[in-house]
Amino acid sequence: MFLTMIRRRWLPIAGGLLLISLFAGLHLLAHGYHFGLTEDAHAVHLPFLEQTLDPALFPGDPMLATRSGYPSFYFLLLALATRLASIPTLFLIVHLLTLLAYLAAVAGLSLRLAPDRLPLRPLLIGLLLTLSTLPVLGGDDLVLRSALPRHVGLALALWALLAGLLERRLLAFALAGLSINLHALSGGFALALLLAGDLLRLPWRRWAAPLLAAALGLLLALPTLIWSWQAAEPLTPAWIDLLRLRSSQHSFPLTWPLTDFVAFGLWICLAGLAWWPLRRNEQGRWLAGAALAVALLAAIGFMGAEVWPLGPILRWQLFRSTRLLTVLALPLVVRWFLTTWDRGGLARAGSLVTLLALFAPWPIVWIAGVLAGGLLTALASWAPLDGLARAVAVQIVRTRRLRLGRFLAWPAAVRWTTAALLLALLVSGAAALTQPRVPADLLAAWRDVQIWARENTPVDAAFITPPYYYGFRVESQRPVVGEWKDGTQQYFSVPFTADWWQRMQDLHAAGASDIRYNDLSAAEVTAIAQKYQADFIVFFIERELPFPVVYRNQWFRVYQVSPG
């Protein structure tokens, strides 16, 4: 009896955990692990953490002053955890735990929403699709390659949604409320989806329970809500204009490529095909409520950005709620794939074409492949054509019997596991080989110049650095005049936005890739140094100026621009 319990209960759990761990390794292969200078968001986050640990760092740096307007306890918790591990080790641990939690949530959603006679199938396809090109609006993505508050918030939000689907209401809303304290957008969106899902699933006479649970979630989020209220500032038309210039990819939908909307629409249509038979049961109504919540948030986001621009709406970046809907749709896409595959014939071919298309990194190919797969699936309902496809498939199998016979003789679980893992390995390997990489010697030289600054200059020494080349603060622990990346903090400080933009103009930076900084004259450098009380300026090695050179390596040179 004990052995039977182990075989029936614990072995499947152990196998699922093993698969989740394997796919976590494939994610690391596909996307790598980014920390410090290789992760652009860390150009902001690591200085935040370092200043939390040592408030004397970065004196007079305006970007660091925006920390008070960034409502998140993520950095405080990390600072407390540095007593147990170094910052690099801590970030790696947070990333691995976040990745495992994300994949486990996807696995749970797939098993819940795509039940199958062989539970291994939805588990495998769900995990496999996390490696695909998942469509998300609002300049967001679902690629986890570093420790970031939005990734931690995403994982917690997905577990909250899974708990909501399982009707663990208090747990669901509590997780959503707690996640607001780490990443307000992820937790807030999850709370909205949970409430909308429950209100549509339940008759109105039973709405008291979800409303009280939502109140519990807000109560748990109270520290961040109070922080946000205290940090609130009046938003100006000038701030909106600069937001459009710097961060249109997050808040202004009419600036986004049309392919983003088409791909997202096709993804939701695939999920909708699987949702349709569920539309009348409680689970289907809950999903409809969550989808309607995202649609409403997106509609408000569009109106508040493109029709009647409103600062609070722009600041909330409501279109980024679509990534939660994308993940909720994923198990429904799994359900559609398995149902279509089991039909055989032309429908099976269509499902396979669609599945493979989802891994295309180019939007046009992704869209064309999904449309082609959908067309084949639709044509399968025409009996003569489907019969012809089945006859051709039988002939191919007979022709290749010597090669396919052994594989087809394997148990179904082995066949599905082998095929899914081989495809995942192929996709991950291709992604790893095509990842853009900074030359190793350039990265080492950029780190070396920062280490020199930390070890050879006073803590209040201010640096002028290339605004298009982010991350000087990470290793140097020194204030800088400004980087283009700093502009992301405009969501959290109105006064900083105008100051940041003035600094970018002085540094001749009108965009993330604007390199006119390299052409600054000696007179312009002197004027910038005097205006911002900077002590040193960093250029690439080929730039020569009539100032004392205090450091150089194979890529960079540092000039002293302050007297003495």
Side-chain angles (χ1 to χ4, degrees):
M1 181 177 177
F2 178 70
L3 292 178
T4 301
M5 183 184 71
I6 292 178
R7 185 175 66 254
R8 292 182 178 179
R9 182 173 181 179
W10 295 110
L11 280 182
I13 293 175
L17 293 175
L18 177 61
L19 279 176
I20 289 169
S21 300
L22 284 173
F23 274 90
L26 290 169
H27 272 265
L28 290 172
L29 173 62
H31 308 303
Y33 169 62
H34 293 209
F35 171 76
L37 299 180
T38 58
E39 170 56 56
D40 62 346
H42 286 178
V44 174
H45 295 170
L46 277 172
F48 277 178
L49 176 58
E50 290 167 346
Q51 193 184 57
T52 303
L53 291 167
D54 184 358
L57 292 177
F58 308 104
D61 192 317
M63 192 281 286
L64 272 295
T66 66
R67 173 73 186 93
S68 61
Y70 190 144
S72 172
F73 290 89
Y74 176 79
F75 303 104
L76 178 59
L77 292 175
L78 285 181
L80 293 173
T82 55
R83 299 175 183 177
L84 305 175
S86 66
I87 290 177
T89 302
L90 182 61
F91 270 63
L92 177 59
I93 292 171
V94 170
H95 173 62
L96 292 177
L97 291 177
T98 302
L99 180 58
L100 289 170
Y102 166 68
L103 294 175
V106 170
L109 289 167
S110 298
L111 291 171
R112 179 67 176 178
L113 293 175
D116 192 75
R117 64 182 185 279
L118 183 62
L120 185 64
R121 295 203 308 169
L123 178 63
L124 282 168
I125 303 303
L127 292 172
L128 179 63
L129 286 181
T130 63
L131 291 166
S132 68
T133 309
L134 296 172
V136 180
L137 300 177
D140 217 333
D141 61 52
L142 287 163
V143 177
L144 279 65
R145 53 175 163 246
S146 55
L148 298 175
R150 66 185 176 93
H151 292 162
V152 176
L154 170 67
L156 285 173
L158 291 180
W159 275 98
L161 295 175
L162 177 57
L165 264 177
L166 296 173
E167 299 187 50
R168 305 291 179 86
R169 184 173 294 116
L170 288 179
L171 176 61
F173 281 94
L175 282 174
L178 289 172
S179 66
I180 289 175
N181 294 305
L182 297 177
H183 190 253
L185 294 184
S186 297
F189 295 150
L191 200 65
L193 268 64
L194 286 169
L195 182 58
D198 270 357
L199 292 182
L200 200 61
R201 173 166 58 185
L202 301 173
W204 68 268
R205 293 181 181 84
R206 296 172 58 193
W207 281 7
L211 289 173
L212 288 173
L216 170 65
L218 291 174
L219 182 64
L220 293 173
L222 199 57
T224 296
L225 297 178
I226 293 174
W227 185 347
S228 300
W229 177 74
Q230 291 177 336
E233 300 169 335
L235 304 177
T236 64
W239 177 84
I240 293 175
D241 291 339
L242 286 176
L243 188 73
R244 184 183 291 274
L245 183 147
R246 167 59 178 78
S247 301
S248 60
Q249 72 274 19
H250 294 311
S251 298
F252 295 93
L254 292 184
T255 65
W256 305 340
L258 179 61
T259 51
D260 287 2
F261 295 97
V262 175
F264 184 76
L266 287 174
W267 179 257
I268 298 304
C269 285
L270 286 177
L273 292 173
W275 168 82
W276 186 251
L278 309 175
R279 65 191 184 280
R280 298 189 188 280
N281 64 31
E282 287 193 357
Q283 188 170 262
R285 293 199 303 273
W286 188 93
L287 289 168
L292 286 174
V294 173
L296 179 60
L297 290 171
I300 295 172
F302 181 87
M303 296 295 293
E306 303 292 3
V307 180
W308 185 18
L310 295 172
I313 302 299
L314 292 167
R315 177 173 274 177
W316 294 335
Q317 306 169 61
L318 297 180
F319 270 91
R320 299 183 82 166
S321 63
T322 58
R323 69 175 182 160
L324 293 181
L325 184 58
T326 295
V327 181
L328 272 182
L330 187 150
L332 292 175
V333 173
V334 171
R335 185 184 185 119
W336 173 86
F337 169 79
L338 293 175
T339 302
T340 309
W341 176 273
D342 289 341
R343 288 168 56 190
L346 204 57
R348 178 171 294 182
S351 66
L352 184 59
V353 169
T354 302
L355 178 70
L356 296 177
L358 295 176
F359 294 92
W362 309 282
I364 296 299
V365 176
W366 193 101
I367 292 169
V370 171
L371 288 174
L375 178 61
L376 287 174
T377 305
L379 290 174
S381 58
W382 186 28
L385 190 59
D386 186 56
L388 177 62
R390 291 175 185 272
V392 171
V394 169
Q395 187 61 37
I396 291 174
V397 171
R398 286 177 178 174
T399 304
R400 304 287 182 178
R401 179 168 295 279
L402 291 177
R403 297 182 182 180
L404 295 176
R406 291 183 179 179
F407 178 74
L408 295 176
W410 292 351
V414 178
R415 293 200 309 271
W416 278 91
T417 303
T418 303
L421 289 179
L422 285 176
L423 179 56
L425 184 60
L426 178 64
V427 169
S428 301
L433 292 174
T434 56
Q435 282 292 319
R437 288 181 173 83
V438 178
D441 58 336
L442 172 58
L443 193 62
W446 188 230
R447 180 177 289 108
D448 288 344
V449 70
Q450 296 177 40
I451 293 173
W452 173 87
R454 186 179 70 234
E455 294 179 347
N456 294 276
T457 65
V459 72
D460 60 348
F463 282 74
I464 307 169
T465 61
Y468 56 86
Y469 205 61
Y470 60 81
F472 187 82
R473 301 181 185 91
V474 170
E475 297 285 352
S476 71
Q477 298 182 346
R478 296 295 180 266
V480 304
V481 170
E483 299 176 354
W484 184 261
K485 178 64 184 176
D486 297 349
T488 190
Q489 293 305 107
Q490 64 190 153
Y491 281 103
F492 309 106
S493 174
V494 174
F496 167 77
T497 303
D499 183 31
W500 167 81
W501 179 237
Q502 182 58 58
R503 290 167 184 253
M504 292 301 100
Q505 289 180 303
D506 290 339
L507 296 174
H508 294 184
S513 57
D514 191 339
I515 61 172
R516 289 179 298 147
Y517 167 90
N518 299 339
D519 301 323
L520 287 174
S521 66
E524 288 173 318
V525 169
T526 300
I528 294 170
Q530 292 175 348
K531 182 175 181 178
Y532 298 109
Q533 299 180 340
D535 302 289
F536 302 93
I537 188 167
V538 181
F539 277 103
F540 279 89
I541 189 67
E542 61 270 13
R543 184 71 171 122
E544 295 185 1
L545 289 168
F547 302 108
V549 177
V550 292
Y551 174 82
R552 74 170 67 200
N553 59 32
Q554 69 271 34
W555 279 94
F556 300 98
R557 70 173 77 199
V558 181
Y559 295 100
Q560 184 169 347
V561 292
S562 63

